[in-house]
Amino acid sequence: MSDLSSIVHIIYEPDKDSIVYYPVLVVGAGAAGVALGCRLKEKLGFDQFRIFDRQSGIGGTWWINRYPGVAVDVPSILYSFSFCPNNRWTSFFPEGPEMVKYLHDVCEKYKIVDKIQLNTDVSELVWLEEKQEWEATLVHLAPGAGDLGASERRQRAKKYGQQAVYLRREIVRAKIVVSCVGGLVEPKDWPEEIPGRESFEGAMFHSSRWNYDVDLTEKDVVVIGTGCSAAQFTALITKSPYNAKSCTQLMRSPPWVVPKPIPFFGPEAWGKWSGALFDHVPGVGRFFRILWFAISEFDYHSIFQDNSRNVKLRRKTEAKLLMHMRQTVPEKYHDILTPDYSVGCKRRIMDCYWFDSMNDPKYDLTTQPLMKINSRSVVLGPSPTYRASTKPDGKMAMDEVELPADVIILANGFDLSTWLHSLKICGKEGKLLQDVWDERGGAQAYLGTAMDGFPNFFIVFGPNTATGHSSVILAIENMIEYSLRFIQPILSGDVETVEVKKSAEIEWTKAIQQDLKSTVWTSGGCTSWYYTKTGWNATAYPEFRRMNAHIQSLQEQVDNLYANLNVLLSRSEGKTFSNPSLDIYPQNVSQEPSNLSTPYQHPIPSPESRARPLQFRGHTASAFSFDVANSSLQTMGIANLQSMAVAQPRFSPNEEGSVVHNEPSSGPQVPDHDSRIQPTTRSLKDPLWSLSREEVIRLCRVYDDEVGLMYPILDIDKTIAKANRLFDFMEAAARTGLLRDEIERGDAFHDDDSNILKMVLAASLTLVGGGYSEMGNRLFESVRMVSESRLWQPINMKGLMLLVIVAQYYFHLDDESQAYRITGLAARLCFELGLHRRDSLTKAFTTEDEIFWAVRLFWSIYQLDRRWSFGTGMPFAIQDDDIDPLLPQPDARTPYLAAMVPYGRIASKAWKTIMAFESAGSEVRKDEIEFLDYQIEKWRASIPEILRYQHQDTRLNQEVLQRGNQRLQIILYLRVNQLRTMIYMPVLHSATSLFEHRSLAQTVVDVAKETIKALTNLNQTTDIYRTQQISFNYFLVSALAVLFLAVAHAPLEFNRQVRDEFYQALDLVKGFSTKSHTSQRLWNTIRGLKEIGPKLGVVSRQGQPDIEDPHSSAAVAMAGLAGHQVDELAVFPPSHDHNVLGSSPVNGQQMSYELTNLFEAAGGYNAMMTANVPASMSGFAGGSKDTSQGYGEMPGMSGLYGNEEELARIMRQCF
C-alpha cells in the first residue's frame, strides 16, 4: 500500500468531482464508535479516520433516549471501558445524562472529538474491486433531523420539503469500513392495525424520542408497552415534576422483574465513597470489577443454559422473583404479573421504582388490548392479551372500556428485525449484504464481526454478540480488539485486504444456531425480540467460552500464516512481519489503564519536546527586534542572525556536551528543597506518596506567601485542611496494609482538590528551586493530562483554578510563552462562565463567599493576562471593553490585587500607544507619552500607604516591615517603572529621536537607574530577589536595555551617569542561573553581538582583563572621553578572532564580563568617533544629515553603514 493510502486526502479523477479518501471510515458515534476511535489512536497510534453519525450528538442510544429516569440496568462498575474506567459514577446504576457525559469525556481525553462528524447518515457502501476500496454515500442532514426516526424523517420531508431533512449527498472513499451501528436506535412505528391515529387531538410520541415540550401536568397518559424503558419512566410521570393526572399502562405479556441489586455498603455509601475508594486504594476498583463480572457470569450459567441443573436453578429464581412481586404490588395485579414462560427467555427488567409505583392510585395496569383511538380517548377491547385483571367486586375485567387520553406514549421497543438498519452494503460481485443474509437464513457474521464477500469490512457488536446477562461494553471491546488485529496489517501496508473464508463463516454460524437451541431463549416458551418471524436468533450468543476458544484457534492460524509468510520473504528479501496477537479476552475484563494510574512516570521532557518559543514577537517582548535585526542585517550585508532569534532550551549542552548546572550566586543562597524529599520504594506511585505531611503544609505556605499574596485564587487554609484529610487517609492505608509498595497502579489521586494541591506543590518547589525541581516536574506530570482536559471539558471554578496554577508553574519554569497561552485560554473560559458580567456572576454564585472567590479568580486572571502579554509582546485575551463596568472588584482584603486593577487599565492604554509607535513611519508622540506618565504617577499616588515603596535610607523601621508587604511594595514600584520604561523606550530607538527628545530620554534613563538601584538594595538586604529571581529578571533586563541603548546612541551624555547602575546590574547578572530562559536569551544576544562585532565595532580588545574587576576595561571608554587617539585595531580585533562563545554561558560571571566588554566598547568607540563633533552635538553618536553640515558624514556606529534606522533596530532590543 502506498503512503498516501494511510492518510486522509483528496482524490482527483478525470471528469469527476474530487472525492475525500479516509483510510478508516466508522459508522456510528455511540459507545462502540467512541471505543474504536480511542483504540485506533491509543493502540495503533493512528488518527486518520472519520466517525460519521446521523444524530446530532455523541452517545448513540444514550444520546437519543432521554425519557425520564433513563438509566443503565447493569452495575456501573462494569459499564465503562477497560482502557478508561470511570471510578466516579454517582450511583450504582447511573442515569443516561451521566452516560453521555462519560462518553464525551472519553472522546475529549483521547482527542477524537474532531474526528466525529454528526448529522451525517452513511446510506450506502459499495466495494470497488478494481481499486480495493469502499465507496460510501453520505447524506448530510439538517441539524436535528437525524434524531428523528425514519418514518418521522419521511413525514417531515413530505410536509416541509426535502431540504427540511436532506441537505446534500457526498461520495467518499475508504480503505476500511467499520460498522458501529447499534441496535436500540430505530423506534418501532405505530401499529397499523389500530385505527384512529389521525383523529387523535392530543400529543403522541415514542419514549425514545421523548417530547419535553409536552406538559404532562394534570394530563391522562396512556403508555403502550411494559419493556425496560416503560418500567423506568412510568414510575415517575405521576410524580413531581411531571404530575400526570393518571397513567394507564397497556401490557401484552408480563416480564420477569428482578429486584434492584443493592451494592456493597448500601446505595448512598456506595455513591458517596466508592469513587474515592477506587481512586485512592490500589487494586480495589479492579477487585470489584472482577467480582461483579463473576456474579454476572454465574447468573448466565444458572439461568440461560438449558439442562436439568439449570431448570432447577431457574425454578428457584422464578420463585424468588414471584415472591418479590407479590410482596410489592397490589393483589389485583398478581395474576397478570405472573409470567407463563421461563425466566431469561425475554429480557428481564431491573426493578428500581416500577413495582412500587403500582401502589399509586393514579396508576393502572391492564392487559386489555388497544382497539381504537378517538380524539381524546382510547378504546380497550374486551379480550385481554394475557390474564384478565380482577375488578374490586371480584369479577374479571372483560368489558370493552373507553379511557380518557391526553397523551399517548409508545414504549413498544425498537426495530430489531433488520440489522444495520437502513445501511445498504454492496460487496464483491455486487451482492448486497442483506440479500446474502436472507439466503443464509438471517443476519450472521464470523465471530459477530466479519462476512465473506465483504473485505475490509468489520462489524462491532454485530450478530450474535449479546450475552443477555452482562455489560454490552465487554462485547464491544472484544469485537474492537479482534478487528484491530486485522486493521493494523492493512494500514501498515503488509496486506491489501482481509476477508473471512465463506466456509469458516458458515461453519461458525451453523454452530451458533445449533448451540442456541439448548438455551432458554429457545426452550423458554416465549416470543421475544431475540428471534425473527422466521425463527432466526441473530441477537444472542450461546456461550462465552466458545468465542474464547475460537479466538485462540484463530490466533494459531494467524501465527502459522505469519510464520509461513516470513519464511517466504526471508528467502527473497530478508523482510519479516510480526504476527498480531489475538490474546484479548482475559485482560479486557478488568484491565487498568497505565496512562491513568501512573501518568507521573513520564520522563523529564527533552529539549526537543519542550514548547517552542512563540513565532510572533510582539512589540513589548525582549525578543521583538531579533526578527527585525535579521532582515536588517541581511539588507546591510551582514550574516544571518536566525540563530539568535530562538532562545536555547534550558538544560542545553555546552561545547563539551555536558549539561549546564546552576552555580553559586553572590546573593543569599536558596536551599536545595528537593533534597528534603527522601526517595522511597513508592517512587513509581503518585508523587504525593513521596512527600511528608509537614513538607506539603510548608510548601502550601510558601505558595501563599510568594504567589497567593499577589494572585489570591484559592483559600490556602482550606487547601491545607484537605491535604491533612488526604494524609490521614494515606497514613491509614499504609498502616492497615491497603497500600502495597510493589503495586504500581491504582493509587493516583485525580480528584479536583488533589490536582490543585499537587500543582500548588509543583509551583512552590519550582519557585524555590530557582526554575526547576525534579519533584515539581513529577507532580506536574501527574496532573498534566487532567489539566489539559480542562480546556475542552465542561469548565468549573476548580478547573479554572487548576489552569491558573499550571500557568504559574510554567512561568516559574521560565517558560513565559506557555504561561501566556494557558492564561489566555483561562481568560476565555472566564467568558464562558460569565465571570466578566455582574448579572451572570450573581446568578451562578448565590452566597457572598462564592462571589468573593469568583471575583478574586477573575481579576487574578485579568492581571496575569496583562503580565504575560507584556512579557511576550502578544495581545491581551481580556479587553477592558468586554468587562461589565458594574462587575465587583477586589476589596481591601486583597490590597495588591485591588491596586492592580486600575493599573491594568492604564497598561491597556499604554499598549495601544506603543503599538501605534511600532507601526511603520510612526513618530514619537510626546503629548501622549507625557499624558500616560501623568496617569501612571496618579495611580502610584493612589496606592495604599502600606503598599507604597520607599527607599531604605528614608525608612527608619525597615527591619520591622513584614516580608510579604515588602515584596508587594517592591513589585508595585517596579511595575510603575516598567510601564514608564515601555512608554518612553521609543525615544531611545535612534539617535535622532533621542536628540529631539533629550528630556524624555533622560527620564527613561533615570527610571531604569532607579529600577536597578531598587533591585540591588533588595538583593543585598533580603532573600526576596533570589526567591523570585525569574520575576525580577524581567525588570532587570529591561533596565539594562535602556542603559545600553542610551550609551550606544549618546555615550558622552550617558556613559558616566549610568556607569554605576550598569555595573550594579551586572552584579545581579552574575547571580543568574544558566538554566534560566532569561539567561539563555541574554546570552544569545551577547553571542550575536560578538559575531557581528567586527562590523559594528562593539567588541573589546583581545587581551583578557581580570574578570573579577568589572571596571578593568574601562580605559577604552575613558581614553575616548578624554579625546585621546586610540588605535582602532587595538580596540576592535579583526574578524578572524577565534574567541567564539559557547551555546551556553559557563556561569553568570561570564555573562557579566561579556556585557562589560560590549558596554565599554560601544561607549568608547562612539566617544572616539564623536571626538571632533561640535559641542552642541557631541553627546550623540550617528545623526541626521539634516541637522549639521559634516555631522551626517561622521562615521559613527550607524555611520559604518550610513543607515541609522537599521542599526537602531539591531540595538534597541538587544536584550
Side-chain angles (χ1 to χ4, degrees):
M1 180 188 288
S2 65
D3 292 339
L4 199 61
S5 299
S6 60
I7 62 173
V8 177
H9 64 275
I10 305 295
I11 299 174
Y12 297 97
E13 295 184 349
D15 303 324
K16 290 185 179 180
D17 294 334
S18 60
I19 298 174
V20 180
Y21 171 90
Y22 300 101
V24 180
L25 186 152
V26 183
V27 186
V34 168
L36 177 61
C38 295
R39 297 299 286 162
L40 281 169
K41 288 196 70 173
E42 182 183 47
K43 186 168 184 177
L44 302 188
F46 186 78
D47 66 353
Q48 298 294 295
F49 60 87
R50 177 72 75 179
I51 303 173
F52 295 97
D53 198 298
R54 69 166 174 258
Q55 296 178 170
S56 60
I58 300 171
T61 188
W62 293 110
W63 164 262
I64 200 63
N65 283 274
R66 306 171 197 171
Y67 57 81
V70 57
V72 178
D73 58 4
V74 173
S76 58
I77 199 167
L78 295 179
Y79 219 91
S80 61
F81 301 123
S82 64
F83 59 85
C84 188
N86 182 12
N87 292 334
R88 290 290 177 172
W89 294 116
T90 58
S91 67
F92 199 57
F93 295 98
E95 296 189 350
E98 193 171 2
M99 275 303 307
V100 173
K101 181 181 182 301
Y102 167 69
L103 293 175
H104 274 256
D105 290 345
V106 172
C107 291
E108 290 165 350
K109 175 185 174 182
Y110 286 88
K111 296 180 174 60
I112 65 168
V113 175
D114 62 327
K115 306 297 181 184
I116 300 174
Q117 183 170 321
L118 303 173
N119 297 305
T120 306
D121 186 26
V122 181
S123 63
E124 185 177 10
L125 296 170
V126 178
W127 175 252
L128 306 178
E129 183 65 28
E130 180 180 351
K131 297 184 178 297
Q132 301 284 279
E133 295 172 354
W134 285 97
E135 185 172 85
T137 301
L138 308 179
V139 179
H140 295 267
L141 303 174
D147 293 342
L148 304 175
S151 61
E152 292 175 302
R153 291 197 297 273
R154 290 193 295 269
Q155 292 173 10
R156 173 179 285 191
K158 182 178 180 180
K159 183 175 182 180
Y160 300 105
Q162 294 291 315
Q163 286 299 313
V165 178
Y166 311 104
L167 301 181
R168 63 185 176 89
R169 290 181 178 271
E170 180 185 6
I171 303 297
V172 300
R173 299 262 182 88
K175 188 66 179 178
I176 301 165
V177 175
V178 185
S179 169
C180 294
V181 177
L184 307 181
V185 175
E186 195 63 45
K188 283 186 178 179
D189 288 334
W190 176 262
E192 296 295 338
E193 65 274 12
I194 300 175
R197 178 184 180 184
E198 295 77 10
S199 63
F200 185 62
E201 297 177 357
M204 182 185 300
F205 54 84
H206 197 280
S207 62
S208 67
R209 303 296 188 271
W210 194 273
N211 188 352
Y212 278 95
D213 292 334
V214 176
D215 185 4
L216 301 182
T217 303
E218 292 301 311
K219 300 287 179 63
D220 293 306
V221 180
V222 175
V223 178
I224 302 174
T226 53
C228 295
S229 299
Q232 290 180 333
F233 73 78
T234 54
L236 301 176
I237 59 176
T238 59
K239 301 177 177 61
S240 179
Y242 307 102
N243 301 315
K245 180 180 180 181
S246 68
C247 175
T248 302
Q249 191 170 10
L250 310 185
M251 180 175 67
R252 187 174 56 185
S253 63
W256 283 102
V257 180
V258 179
K260 179 182 178 181
I262 299 176
F264 300 104
F265 321 122
E268 292 185 3
W270 179 273
K272 184 176 181 180
W273 298 109
S274 62
L277 189 68
F278 296 161
D279 280 342
H280 300 320
V281 182
V284 173
R286 182 177 181 181
F287 168 75
F288 277 104
R289 187 177 174 99
I290 294 175
L291 179 61
W292 278 107
F293 177 78
I295 293 172
S296 299
E297 286 303 296
F298 175 79
D299 188 37
Y300 170 82
H301 290 288
S302 63
I303 292 179
F304 293 95
Q305 293 181 333
D306 192 30
N307 53 48
S308 58
R309 174 180 175 276
N310 288 101
V311 170
K312 293 179 182 179
L313 290 175
R314 279 200 296 272
R315 295 286 185 267
K316 292 182 180 180
T317 302
E318 289 168 2
K320 292 179 182 179
L321 298 183
L322 289 175
M323 181 180 296
H324 166 70
M325 181 269 292
R326 291 174 180 137
Q327 291 174 346
T328 309
V329 307
E331 185 178 355
K332 63 178 180 177
Y333 299 137
H334 287 182
D335 284 343
I336 61 174
L337 286 175
T338 302
D340 59 359
Y341 57 90
S342 297
V343 63
C345 185
K346 290 184 177 183
R347 187 181 180 189
R348 296 167 296 171
I349 290 179
M350 195 68 64
D351 180 29
C352 292
Y353 314 103
W354 189 39
F355 273 1
D356 287 332
S357 69
M358 294 183 184
N359 294 287
D360 187 342
K362 297 181 181 179
Y363 176 88
D364 187 34
L365 177 68
T366 179
T367 58
Q368 290 183 262
L370 179 63
M371 303 298 295
K372 182 183 177 182
I373 298 178
N374 297 323
S375 61
R376 285 289 178 179
S377 65
V378 295
V379 177
L380 306 183
S383 301
T385 58
Y386 200 68
R387 302 168 186 171
S389 55
T390 306
K391 289 184 176 181
D393 58 5
K395 296 181 180 180
M396 303 304 291
M398 300 291 289
D399 301 331
E400 181 179 288
V401 61
E402 182 174 0
L403 301 175
D406 299 307
V407 180
I408 298 176
I409 303 175
L410 283 173
N412 57 340
F414 299 88
D415 181 9
L416 300 173
S417 60
T418 304
W419 276 86
L420 306 183
H421 299 292
S422 59
L423 180 57
K424 181 180 178 182
I425 306 172
C426 183
K428 296 171 70 174
E429 301 178 359
K431 292 185 177 180
L432 296 177
L433 180 59
Q434 193 61 53
D435 292 344
V436 174
W437 282 346
D438 291 341
E439 292 172 3
R440 299 185 188 180
Q444 55 193 270
Y446 181 69
L447 286 177
T449 303
M451 272 296 296
D452 60 283
F454 297 84
N456 294 3
F457 177 73
F458 304 94
I459 309 172
V460 176
F461 201 54
N464 299 109
T465 54
T467 60
H469 70 288
S470 187
S471 170
V472 68
I473 299 295
L474 172 65
I476 286 174
E477 287 200 60
N478 286 332
M479 297 305 99
I480 289 174
E481 294 299 323
Y482 170 54
S483 301
L484 290 180
R485 298 308 189 268
F486 296 100
I487 290 175
Q488 184 174 18
I490 299 172
L491 294 177
S492 63
D494 294 345
V495 296
E496 188 73 14
T497 62
V498 170
E499 178 184 357
V500 68
K501 291 182 179 179
K502 180 178 180 179
S503 58
E505 195 284 321
I506 292 176
E507 180 182 352
W508 164 266
T509 301
K510 182 179 179 182
I512 286 289
Q513 295 299 321
Q514 181 64 35
D515 289 348
L516 283 169
K517 294 179 180 179
S518 58
T519 64
V520 70
W521 296 308
T522 302
S523 62
C526 71
T527 301
S528 72
W529 53 266
Y530 289 124
Y531 282 87
T532 65
K533 294 179 181 180
T534 62
W536 186 269
N537 187 336
T539 304
Y541 178 72
E543 186 165 354
F544 178 83
R545 288 175 298 184
R546 174 180 290 276
M547 186 173 289
N548 196 20
H550 274 270
I551 287 191
Q552 291 177 358
S553 174
L554 181 63
Q555 177 70 71
E556 295 175 1
Q557 296 175 41
V558 172
D559 290 343
N560 292 333
L561 172 64
Y562 274 82
N564 294 333
L565 182 61
N566 284 328
V567 169
L568 292 173
L569 290 174
S570 63
R571 293 175 181 175
S572 58
E573 312 177 340
K575 182 180 178 181
T576 61
F577 294 108
S578 59
N579 58 312
S581 170
L582 298 179
D583 182 17
I584 61 175
Y585 273 111
Q587 65 268 31
N588 278 339
V589 174
S590 58
Q591 183 176 348
E592 298 277 352
S594 60
N595 62 330
L596 280 182
S597 57
T598 57
Y600 43 82
Q601 296 181 29
H602 294 182
I604 296 173
S606 64
E608 293 77 15
S609 66
R610 294 181 62 82
R612 295 180 178 179
L614 295 171
Q615 299 300 308
F616 174 74
R617 315 290 181 176
H619 43 269
T620 62
S622 57
F624 173 66
S625 261
F626 283 143
D627 293 332
V628 180
N630 185 36
S631 60
S632 300
L633 291 177
Q634 286 178 349
T635 302
M636 298 160 61
I638 303 177
N640 193 305
L641 281 183
Q642 188 62 36
S643 60
M644 296 170 54
V646 180
Q648 296 291 323
R650 297 188 311 110
F651 316 113
S652 59
N654 58 23
E655 280 70 50
E656 288 73 31
S658 61
V659 175
V660 178
H661 295 284
N662 198 4
E663 67 286 335
S665 64
S666 59
Q669 297 298 304
V670 179
D672 181 5
H673 292 266
D674 276 351
S675 64
R676 303 188 185 192
I677 302 165
Q678 300 299 324
T680 69
T681 57
R682 302 167 190 166
S683 59
L684 295 180
K685 294 181 175 293
D686 193 298
L688 282 178
W689 293 99
S690 299
L691 296 170
S692 67
R693 183 196 300 259
E694 294 74 17
E695 179 68 0
V696 167
I697 294 174
R698 185 188 70 82
L699 291 172
C700 286
R701 294 299 182 192
V702 169
Y703 175 86
D704 193 45
D705 291 341
E706 302 295 337
V707 181
L709 276 177
M710 294 180 288
Y711 307 106
I713 64 172
L714 55 84
D715 187 334
I716 202 66
D717 291 329
K718 290 184 179 180
T719 302
I720 292 175
K722 291 169 183 175
N724 277 318
R725 289 196 294 270
L726 180 61
F727 272 89
D728 289 341
F729 165 79
M730 293 165 61
E731 291 168 0
R735 185 172 57 252
T736 58
L738 288 175
L739 173 64
R740 300 281 300 280
D741 287 339
E742 66 274 14
I743 299 177
E744 299 180 8
R745 300 179 178 182
D747 62 346
F749 303 100
H750 284 312
D751 58 283
D752 289 340
D753 292 328
S754 296
N755 288 329
I756 290 174
L757 173 64
K758 285 193 279 189
M759 281 313 307
V760 166
L761 302 179
S764 298
L765 285 166
T766 305
L767 185 152
V768 300
Y772 180 72
S773 163
E774 181 178 354
M775 176 56 68
N777 182 74
R778 287 182 58 202
L779 286 161
F780 169 66
E781 289 297 334
S782 72
V783 179
R784 180 198 290 270
M785 188 178 298
V786 177
S787 65
E788 291 175 353
S789 70
R790 292 297 182 266
L791 300 178
W792 55 81
Q793 288 181 343
I795 193 64
N796 55 31
M797 294 295 289
K798 289 184 178 180
L800 204 52
M801 291 178 190
L802 181 64
L803 285 177
V804 174
I805 304 174
V806 168
Q808 293 169 344
Y809 167 79
Y810 271 115
F811 173 71
H812 290 296
L813 275 180
D814 217 348
D815 193 345
E816 198 164 17
S817 60
Q818 281 283 40
Y820 166 79
R821 293 178 187 134
I822 296 173
T823 303
L825 292 167
R828 286 162 176 81
L829 293 174
C830 285
F831 292 146
E832 292 186 28
L833 289 174
L835 300 185
H836 63 307
R837 307 293 302 175
R838 178 176 180 173
D839 52 353
S840 57
L841 184 72
T842 53
K843 288 179 182 178
F845 305 99
T846 55
T847 68
E848 182 179 348
D849 188 63
E850 289 177 343
I851 295 175
F852 172 72
W853 285 104
V855 168
R856 282 185 168 193
L857 180 59
F858 173 78
W859 287 111
S860 294
I861 294 173
Y862 172 85
Q863 291 305 326
L864 290 171
D865 178 41
R866 272 145 180 74
R867 164 65 184 86
W868 292 323
S869 289
F870 271 101
T872 58
M874 302 292 285
F876 310 137
I878 301 178
Q879 301 298 325
D880 289 317
D881 292 342
D882 295 328
I883 303 175
D884 188 347
L886 300 179
L887 183 71
Q889 295 187 13
D891 55 24
R893 288 174 287 184
T894 54
Y896 174 86
L897 189 60
M900 287 300 294
V901 171
Y903 174 89
R905 297 194 177 105
I906 299 173
S908 301
K909 299 176 184 177
W911 176 279
K912 295 178 181 179
T913 299
I914 299 168
M915 180 179 291
F917 176 81
E918 294 296 340
S919 301
S922 296
E923 297 180 354
V924 173
R925 300 174 181 176
K926 182 179 179 182
D927 55 342
E928 290 187 13
I929 291 176
E930 291 178 339
F931 180 69
L932 280 173
D933 196 19
Y934 163 76
Q935 290 184 302
I936 296 170
E937 288 297 336
K938 186 177 179 181
W939 171 78
R940 188 211 297 261
S942 69
I943 297 175
E945 180 67 26
I946 193 172
L947 296 181
R948 199 172 301 169
Y949 177 78
Q950 298 182 31
H951 292 288
Q952 185 176 4
D953 54 2
T954 62
R955 180 181 290 275
L956 300 178
N957 59 340
Q958 179 75 19
E959 64 279 359
V960 300
L961 184 65
Q962 291 185 357
R963 185 177 184 277
N965 284 344
Q966 189 176 359
R967 184 172 61 256
L968 296 181
Q969 287 178 1
I970 187 63
I971 290 177
L972 284 172
Y973 176 76
L974 293 174
R975 291 206 181 283
V976 170
N977 287 1
Q978 180 66 15
L979 198 52
R980 297 186 71 199
T981 298
M982 286 182 177
I983 63 175
Y984 280 104
M985 180 72 86
V987 176
L988 301 179
H989 285 180
S990 71
T992 302
S993 63
L994 193 153
F995 173 73
E996 293 176 353
H997 306 283
R998 187 177 302 187
S999 63
L1000 300 184
Q1002 185 63 57
T1003 299
V1004 69
V1005 168
D1006 291 341
V1007 171
K1009 290 168 61 178
E1010 289 300 319
T1011 294
I1012 293 173
K1013 287 179 182 179
L1015 289 173
T1016 300
N1017 177 65
L1018 187 71
N1019 186 47
Q1020 292 173 347
T1021 59
T1022 73
D1023 67 340
I1024 294 175
Y1025 176 81
R1026 291 295 300 166
T1027 303
Q1028 294 243 19
Q1029 184 173 342
I1030 290 174
S1031 300
F1032 292 121
N1033 287 349
Y1034 174 67
F1035 305 114
L1036 175 63
V1037 173
S1038 295
L1040 264 175
V1042 170
L1043 303 189
F1044 197 97
L1045 287 173
V1047 171
H1049 288 305
L1052 296 182
E1053 180 78 13
F1054 293 110
N1055 198 318
R1056 289 180 177 178
Q1057 66 165 293
V1058 306
R1059 175 170 295 276
D1060 290 341
E1061 287 77 17
F1062 187 84
Y1063 284 112
Q1064 287 176 8
L1066 294 190
D1067 285 336
L1068 297 177
V1069 170
K1070 290 179 184 178
F1072 273 24
S1073 164
T1074 55
K1075 296 178 181 179
S1076 164
H1077 179 72
T1078 302
S1079 298
Q1080 291 290 343
R1081 187 169 62 239
L1082 183 60
W1083 185 248
N1084 287 332
T1085 298
I1086 295 170
R1087 290 176 62 204
L1089 290 173
K1090 288 276 284 190
E1091 291 173 7
I1092 65 173
K1095 293 185 177 181
L1096 292 182
V1098 292
V1099 181
S1100 65
R1101 296 166 298 176
Q1102 287 182 336
Q1104 298 300 315
D1106 181 7
I1107 63 174
E1108 294 297 331
D1109 179 10
H1111 297 74
S1112 62
S1113 59
V1116 177
M1118 293 298 101
L1121 290 173
H1124 295 290
Q1125 295 297 322
V1126 181
D1127 183 1
E1128 186 176 340
L1129 293 179
V1131 182
F1132 310 110
S1135 60
H1136 55 75
D1137 179 20
H1138 298 290
N1139 184 24
V1140 180
L1141 299 183
S1143 61
S1144 296
V1146 175
N1147 51 34
Q1149 190 89 14
Q1150 186 188 12
M1151 284 192 288
S1152 176
Y1153 164 63
E1154 296 294 348
L1155 280 171
T1156 298
N1157 288 344
L1158 292 172
F1159 174 75
E1160 294 189 358
Y1165 183 79
N1166 280 283
M1168 174 185 67
M1169 300 305 294
T1170 57
N1172 298 317
V1173 177
S1176 61
M1177 295 179 169
S1178 61
F1180 301 92
S1184 171
K1185 294 183 179 181
D1186 297 331
T1187 57
S1188 175
Q1189 182 180 5
Y1191 180 69
E1193 305 298 326
M1194 181 193 64
M1197 288 182 67
S1198 59
L1200 290 174
Y1201 301 101
N1203 189 334
E1204 178 189 272
E1205 292 303 322
E1206 295 298 334
L1207 177 62
R1209 289 181 182 180
I1210 300 169
M1211 295 298 298
R1212 69 188 184 194
Q1213 292 282 340
C1214 284
F1215 303 97

